[in-house]
Amino acid sequence: MFRSIVWGCVAGAAGTTALNAVTYADMALRGRPSSGTPETVVDRVSSGLGHPLPESEGRENRLTGLGALSGIAVGVAAGAAVALAHRSGLRVPVWLGAPLTGALAMAAADAPIAGLG
């Protein structure tokens, strides 16, 4: 089972890297700014849990880093979850696996955003 989790994490990391590459290429080509949503979510969740980031020099940079890390964590966790589901016997057609995994990762990323309004 451990091997399945590791391979799922690797697959999730690969998917996250591909998504980041496409996102940054889009930003470079269109000149659009990055989204501030990940930083806002991290700030509101950490405050809601009673551990707000202190008001100090570099706070915005810390929020940016934590927002990016949370996106990576969601992608890796989605890969691990799908690998465990596959190991437990859940099988979907090959052509449907990637879109379902992507939808799972997007739902996991968007749930806190929707929950916070």
Side-chain angles (χ1 to χ4, degrees):
M1 181 165 71
F2 183 72
R3 183 175 289 175
S4 294
I5 294 171
V6 169
W7 280 111
C9 289
V10 168
T16 301
T17 300
L19 177 63
N20 286 341
V22 169
T23 299
Y24 293 130
D26 177 56
M27 289 168 61
L29 291 172
R30 296 189 321 156
R32 72 170 180 85
S34 62
S35 170
T37 302
E39 292 89 346
T40 302
V41 170
V42 167
D43 189 26
R44 291 180 67 187
V45 167
S46 66
S47 295
L49 293 174
H51 297 285
L53 270 72
E55 296 291 336
S56 63
E57 184 178 339
R59 182 177 190 276
E60 293 302 316
N61 295 333
R62 286 185 181 88
L63 286 171
T64 299
L66 289 169
L69 286 172
S70 67
I72 293 168
V74 166
V76 171
V82 169
L84 287 173
H86 188 265
R87 181 173 171 80
S88 70
L90 180 64
R91 302 283 192 263
V92 296
V94 173
W95 61 269
L96 189 57
L100 281 178
T101 303
L104 171 67
M106 287 305 299
D110 290 347
I113 296 168
L116 293 171

